[in-house]
Amino acid sequence: MAILEQSEVQAFGITDYFSFDGYLNTVKWYRQSYPDSTKLVIPNLELRLTETVSIDGKNVNTHVLVDPAVATPEALGKFLNDLETHISFGGRRLRCSELTSVNYAAATVSIHDVKDSLKGCFAPEQYIIVTAAGNDGLRGTAKNSQRSKSISDELDRISSAFFGKSNSTAFFLSDSRYEDGSKSEPKPLYDASDAHSFEDLGRLTGDEPSYQSTWIKANLTFRGLRQTIFEPEHRVFVGDRPTVLVRIEREATQFIDRLEINALAPYAGHNGTWFRNVEIPFNPELTAIIGNKGSGKSAVADIVPCWEILAKRNISRF
């Protein structure tokens, strides 16, 4: 728990095959140990799909990320109970909730069953389907197999995003991925630590070449993560450091971090008061000021260039 809290990483997906037990236990102890922590801990269910696309017949893995706000034991349990595997027992298919350590390694599910079960348990904005690309799936498609290409495209269509390496980013941002010539929607690609042991947590530094950092430009919420689905090119960066952060480090004086506004002490408010002890954080790329008529939007727009002029004259108040 201490390693997670002390890490520079701000969002974690706690992953289990066909189970949410790891997430439920981790988040329980994590919140008890660090009740004031602002880090985002997301349940991540890893599923082995029945669908195969590679020459060696290796199954594709997909992940279901659920909004922590709705990830109660009851809701997660219902999803596992609704989702059936391919394994039959007593004339019926075993559900994920019925799997034991004996059949975890053999169980598979259909991507269509995953989608249908999710629809019956959660609203569309409460989950994300992320399929593994690269060594575990889509990029290993058998190039001359029409069947594999068709399945690969179907998995692509159902998935909201992909796990993979930065060299696959451009592929998933393209609009011409499908064999039938239909237009494909740009989708985000994330890299991840894929930590399976305490020793693997060293990957969280982002210093290991095979496990790059993923930077998300959004609020630290599940909704913020979902925003990458709609703006994948501008919201996700996989690598050492996004260009804008490098620029801020090199040219710090060219960026405004925040604007603090307050009336000078002698002013008694006889001409009205718009701002009193106001602090407005600025985004290094784009800041939108939204408000009702007369709320001070134009005043903020006027203050910023005035402050820049006066700052050059070493005047900090006006």
Side-chain angles (χ1 to χ4, degrees):
M1 299 301 172
I3 293 175
L4 298 184
E5 182 62 20
Q6 295 166 12
S7 169
E8 292 185 357
V9 178
Q10 298 300 303
F12 300 94
I14 306 302
T15 309
D16 266 332
Y17 261 116
F18 296 95
S19 171
F20 288 107
D21 290 348
Y23 165 77
L24 292 172
N25 290 327
T26 299
V27 78
K28 173 185 175 181
W29 291 109
Y30 193 80
R31 296 310 179 201
Q32 288 182 0
S33 302
Y34 302 97
D36 299 323
S37 177
T38 59
K39 300 207 171 183
L40 180 64
V41 183
I42 301 172
N44 177 13
L45 180 72
E46 186 167 6
L47 298 166
R48 188 183 304 105
L49 296 180
T50 307
E51 294 84 354
T52 63
V53 297
S54 60
I55 296 175
D56 60 6
K58 188 176 181 180
N59 298 87
V60 178
N61 286 351
T62 199
H63 298 248
V64 175
L65 279 60
V66 181
D67 186 348
V70 299
T72 63
E74 295 76 19
L76 299 178
K78 182 180 186 307
F79 172 58
L80 292 176
N81 193 56
D82 289 353
L83 182 57
E84 295 180 333
T85 71
H86 83 280
I87 300 174
S88 296
F89 181 80
R92 64 178 184 84
R93 291 163 61 189
L94 281 183
R95 301 172 185 274
C96 289
S97 59
E98 298 173 316
L99 294 176
T100 66
S101 57
V102 176
N103 43 37
Y104 271 133
T108 65
V109 294
S110 165
I111 189 67
H112 292 285
D113 286 344
V114 172
K115 186 176 181 180
D116 290 342
S117 296
L118 282 169
K119 285 182 177 180
C121 297
F122 301 105
E125 66 273 12
Q126 294 174 337
Y127 63 86
I128 305 174
I129 298 176
V130 187
T131 298
N135 293 335
D136 290 326
L138 303 184
R139 300 292 284 177
T141 299
K143 295 182 179 180
N144 297 320
S145 170
Q146 291 302 315
R147 170 189 168 278
S148 293
K149 292 177 181 178
S150 176
I151 294 175
S152 175
D153 287 351
E154 187 64 16
L155 294 175
D156 187 318
R157 289 185 173 95
I158 292 177
S159 303
S160 303
F162 298 90
F163 282 129
K165 302 303 176 185
S166 57
N167 57 6
S168 294
T169 297
F171 174 79
F172 287 110
L173 288 177
S174 71
D175 61 2
S176 56
R177 299 193 300 274
Y178 301 148
E179 286 297 314
D180 62 7
S182 61
K183 184 177 180 180
S184 55
E185 293 295 327
K187 295 184 178 181
L189 179 135
Y190 320 126
D191 200 354
S193 63
D194 195 27
H196 289 252
S197 66
F198 289 114
E199 290 74 18
D200 291 343
L201 291 178
R203 299 170 183 173
L204 295 177
T205 62
D207 295 332
E208 293 192 29
S210 298
Y211 301 95
Q212 296 176 296
S213 297
T214 296
W215 301 78
I216 304 294
K217 184 169 64 176
N219 290 335
L220 187 58
T221 62
F222 190 80
R223 183 178 181 182
L225 179 61
R226 275 190 55 83
Q227 192 61 32
T228 64
I229 298 172
F230 310 108
E231 301 174 281
E233 183 175 2
H234 304 293
R235 294 279 180 174
V236 183
F237 177 84
V238 178
D240 292 335
R241 231 163 158 69
T243 304
V244 65
L245 293 186
V246 175
R247 285 189 58 207
I248 291 174
E249 292 172 354
R250 295 176 179 174
E251 308 168 14
T253 59
Q254 303 300 311
F255 293 85
I256 300 176
D257 178 66
R258 65 187 183 277
L259 179 64
E260 299 177 0
I261 312 172
N262 198 10
L264 296 176
Y267 180 64
H270 50 279
N271 289 324
T273 302
W274 270 347
F275 303 106
R276 187 175 296 280
N277 295 324
V278 171
E279 179 178 311
I280 304 174
F282 277 37
N283 186 289
E285 296 182 283
L286 174 66
T287 297
I289 306 296
I290 302 172
N292 294 328
K293 184 176 181 180
S295 60
K297 300 187 299 297
S298 298
V300 171
D302 290 340
I303 289 172
V304 172
C306 288
W307 176 85
E308 182 181 7
I309 293 171
L310 294 174
K312 293 179 179 178
R313 301 178 185 175
N314 293 320
I315 300 174
S316 60
R317 297 171 18 147
F318 62 94

Short mmCIF file of all heavy atoms in Angstrom, two decimals, residues 237-261:
data_model
loop_
_atom_site.label_atom_id
_atom_site.label_comp_id
_atom_site.label_asym_id
_atom_site.label_seq_id
_atom_site.Cartn_x
_atom_site.Cartn_y
_atom_site.Cartn_z
N PHE A 237 -1.02 10.42 -23.78
CA PHE A 237 0.37 10.39 -24.25
C PHE A 237 1.07 9.22 -23.57
O PHE A 237 1.01 9.08 -22.34
CB PHE A 237 1.09 11.69 -23.91
CG PHE A 237 2.55 11.69 -24.31
CD1 PHE A 237 2.93 11.99 -25.60
CD2 PHE A 237 3.53 11.35 -23.37
CE1 PHE A 237 4.27 11.97 -25.96
CE2 PHE A 237 4.87 11.32 -23.73
CZ PHE A 237 5.25 11.64 -25.04
N VAL A 238 1.72 8.38 -24.35
CA VAL A 238 2.49 7.26 -23.81
C VAL A 238 3.96 7.54 -24.06
O VAL A 238 4.40 7.67 -25.20
CB VAL A 238 2.07 5.93 -24.48
CG1 VAL A 238 2.94 4.78 -23.94
CG2 VAL A 238 0.60 5.64 -24.23
N GLY A 239 4.72 7.64 -22.98
CA GLY A 239 6.14 7.95 -23.12
C GLY A 239 6.68 8.60 -21.86
O GLY A 239 6.02 8.64 -20.82
N ASP A 240 7.89 9.12 -21.94
CA ASP A 240 8.55 9.68 -20.76
C ASP A 240 7.82 10.90 -20.21
O ASP A 240 7.54 10.99 -19.02
CB ASP A 240 10.00 10.07 -21.10
CG ASP A 240 10.86 8.85 -21.39
OD1 ASP A 240 10.51 7.77 -20.88
OD2 ASP A 240 11.86 8.98 -22.11
N ARG A 241 7.51 11.86 -21.09
CA ARG A 241 6.89 13.09 -20.63
C ARG A 241 6.21 13.78 -21.80
O ARG A 241 6.80 13.94 -22.87
CB ARG A 241 7.95 14.05 -20.07
CG ARG A 241 7.60 14.56 -18.69
CD ARG A 241 8.76 15.14 -17.96
NE ARG A 241 8.30 16.04 -16.94
CZ ARG A 241 7.67 15.65 -15.85
NH1 ARG A 241 7.43 14.37 -15.68
NH2 ARG A 241 7.25 16.52 -14.96
N PRO A 242 4.96 14.24 -21.63
CA PRO A 242 4.28 14.96 -22.71
C PRO A 242 5.02 16.24 -23.07
O PRO A 242 5.67 16.87 -22.22
CB PRO A 242 2.90 15.28 -22.10
CG PRO A 242 2.72 14.29 -21.00
CD PRO A 242 4.10 14.04 -20.45
N THR A 243 4.90 16.62 -24.32
CA THR A 243 5.61 17.80 -24.82
C THR A 243 5.31 19.04 -24.00
O THR A 243 6.21 19.84 -23.70
CB THR A 243 5.24 18.05 -26.29
OG1 THR A 243 5.52 16.88 -27.05
CG2 THR A 243 6.04 19.20 -26.86
N VAL A 244 4.05 19.25 -23.62
CA VAL A 244 3.69 20.46 -22.89
C VAL A 244 4.39 20.53 -21.53
O VAL A 244 4.80 21.60 -21.08
CB VAL A 244 2.16 20.57 -22.72
CG1 VAL A 244 1.61 19.45 -21.85
CG2 VAL A 244 1.78 21.94 -22.14
N LEU A 245 4.58 19.38 -20.85
CA LEU A 245 5.26 19.39 -19.56
C LEU A 245 6.75 19.69 -19.73
O LEU A 245 7.35 20.35 -18.89
CB LEU A 245 5.07 18.04 -18.86
CG LEU A 245 3.65 17.71 -18.42
CD1 LEU A 245 3.63 16.41 -17.61
CD2 LEU A 245 3.04 18.84 -17.59
N VAL A 246 7.33 19.20 -20.82
CA VAL A 246 8.73 19.52 -21.11
C VAL A 246 8.88 21.01 -21.34
O VAL A 246 9.81 21.66 -20.85
CB VAL A 246 9.22 18.73 -22.34
CG1 VAL A 246 10.63 19.16 -22.72
CG2 VAL A 246 9.18 17.23 -22.06
N ARG A 247 7.93 21.61 -22.07
CA ARG A 247 7.97 23.05 -22.33
C ARG A 247 7.83 23.85 -21.04
O ARG A 247 8.50 24.86 -20.84
CB ARG A 247 6.86 23.45 -23.29
CG ARG A 247 7.12 23.06 -24.74
CD ARG A 247 6.07 23.69 -25.63
NE ARG A 247 6.06 25.14 -25.49
CZ ARG A 247 5.00 25.91 -25.70
NH1 ARG A 247 3.85 25.36 -26.04
NH2 ARG A 247 5.09 27.21 -25.57
N ILE A 248 6.95 23.41 -20.15
CA ILE A 248 6.76 24.13 -18.88
C ILE A 248 8.04 24.11 -18.06
O ILE A 248 8.42 25.11 -17.44
CB ILE A 248 5.60 23.49 -18.08
CG1 ILE A 248 4.26 23.76 -18.78
CG2 ILE A 248 5.56 24.03 -16.66
CD1 ILE A 248 3.09 23.06 -18.14
N GLU A 249 8.73 22.96 -18.06
CA GLU A 249 9.97 22.86 -17.31
C GLU A 249 11.06 23.76 -17.90
O GLU A 249 11.84 24.37 -17.16
CB GLU A 249 10.45 21.41 -17.29
CG GLU A 249 9.54 20.49 -16.47
CD GLU A 249 9.91 19.03 -16.63
OE1 GLU A 249 10.80 18.73 -17.46
OE2 GLU A 249 9.32 18.19 -15.92
N ARG A 250 11.09 23.87 -19.22
CA ARG A 250 12.14 24.65 -19.87
C ARG A 250 11.81 26.14 -19.95
O ARG A 250 12.71 26.98 -19.94
CB ARG A 250 12.38 24.11 -21.29
CG ARG A 250 12.95 22.69 -21.32
CD ARG A 250 13.08 22.20 -22.75
NE ARG A 250 13.64 20.86 -22.81
CZ ARG A 250 13.75 20.14 -23.93
NH1 ARG A 250 13.32 20.66 -25.09
NH2 ARG A 250 14.27 18.93 -23.91
N GLU A 251 10.52 26.45 -20.03
CA GLU A 251 10.10 27.85 -20.24
C GLU A 251 9.03 28.22 -19.21
O GLU A 251 7.95 28.68 -19.56
CB GLU A 251 9.57 28.03 -21.65
CG GLU A 251 10.51 27.53 -22.74
CD GLU A 251 9.83 27.45 -24.10
OE1 GLU A 251 8.73 28.01 -24.27
OE2 GLU A 251 10.40 26.81 -24.99
N ALA A 252 9.34 28.03 -17.95
CA ALA A 252 8.35 28.22 -16.89
C ALA A 252 7.76 29.62 -16.88
O ALA A 252 6.57 29.82 -16.57
CB ALA A 252 8.97 27.91 -15.53
N THR A 253 8.54 30.63 -17.23
CA THR A 253 8.06 32.02 -17.18
C THR A 253 7.08 32.33 -18.30
O THR A 253 6.48 33.41 -18.31
CB THR A 253 9.24 33.00 -17.23
OG1 THR A 253 9.98 32.77 -18.45
CG2 THR A 253 10.15 32.81 -16.03
N GLN A 254 6.91 31.42 -19.25
CA GLN A 254 5.99 31.65 -20.36
C GLN A 254 4.59 31.10 -20.08
O GLN A 254 3.71 31.19 -20.94
CB GLN A 254 6.55 31.00 -21.64
CG GLN A 254 7.93 31.47 -22.03
CD GLN A 254 7.97 32.97 -22.29
OE1 GLN A 254 7.13 33.51 -23.01
NE2 GLN A 254 8.93 33.64 -21.68
N PHE A 255 4.39 30.53 -18.89
CA PHE A 255 3.10 29.93 -18.55
C PHE A 255 2.54 30.57 -17.28
O PHE A 255 3.29 30.88 -16.36
CB PHE A 255 3.23 28.42 -18.34
CG PHE A 255 3.59 27.66 -19.59
CD1 PHE A 255 4.92 27.53 -19.98
CD2 PHE A 255 2.59 27.08 -20.38
CE1 PHE A 255 5.25 26.83 -21.13
CE2 PHE A 255 2.92 26.38 -21.53
CZ PHE A 255 4.24 26.25 -21.91
N ILE A 256 1.23 30.76 -17.25
CA ILE A 256 0.55 31.26 -16.05
C ILE A 256 -0.07 30.07 -15.32
O ILE A 256 -0.89 29.34 -15.89
CB ILE A 256 -0.54 32.28 -16.42
CG1 ILE A 256 0.07 33.47 -17.15
CG2 ILE A 256 -1.28 32.73 -15.17
CD1 ILE A 256 -0.96 34.48 -17.63
N ASP A 257 0.33 29.89 -14.08
CA ASP A 257 -0.17 28.76 -13.30
C ASP A 257 -1.56 29.05 -12.74
O ASP A 257 -2.45 28.21 -12.79
CB ASP A 257 0.80 28.45 -12.15
CG ASP A 257 0.31 27.32 -11.27
OD1 ASP A 257 0.24 26.19 -11.78
OD2 ASP A 257 -0.03 27.58 -10.10
N ARG A 258 -1.76 30.26 -12.21
CA ARG A 258 -3.05 30.64 -11.65
C ARG A 258 -3.14 32.16 -11.54
O ARG A 258 -2.12 32.85 -11.59
CB ARG A 258 -3.24 30.01 -10.26
CG ARG A 258 -2.27 30.51 -9.21
CD ARG A 258 -2.42 29.71 -7.92
NE ARG A 258 -1.53 30.22 -6.87
CZ ARG A 258 -0.25 29.88 -6.75
NH1 ARG A 258 0.29 29.05 -7.63
NH2 ARG A 258 0.48 30.37 -5.77
N LEU A 259 -4.33 32.63 -11.38
CA LEU A 259 -4.58 34.06 -11.24
C LEU A 259 -5.31 34.28 -9.91
O LEU A 259 -6.37 33.71 -9.67
CB LEU A 259 -5.45 34.57 -12.40
CG LEU A 259 -5.82 36.06 -12.38
CD1 LEU A 259 -4.57 36.92 -12.51
CD2 LEU A 259 -6.81 36.37 -13.50
N GLU A 260 -4.71 35.07 -9.02
CA GLU A 260 -5.31 35.41 -7.74
C GLU A 260 -5.78 36.85 -7.78
O GLU A 260 -5.01 37.76 -8.11
CB GLU A 260 -4.31 35.20 -6.60
CG GLU A 260 -3.84 33.75 -6.46
CD GLU A 260 -2.79 33.59 -5.37
OE1 GLU A 260 -2.46 34.61 -4.73
OE2 GLU A 260 -2.32 32.46 -5.18
N ILE A 261 -7.03 37.08 -7.44
CA ILE A 261 -7.62 38.42 -7.52
C ILE A 261 -8.26 38.77 -6.17
O ILE A 261 -9.02 37.98 -5.62
CB ILE A 261 -8.69 38.51 -8.62
CG1 ILE A 261 -8.17 37.91 -9.94
CG2 ILE A 261 -9.11 39.96 -8.85
CD1 ILE A 261 -9.23 37.80 -11.01
#
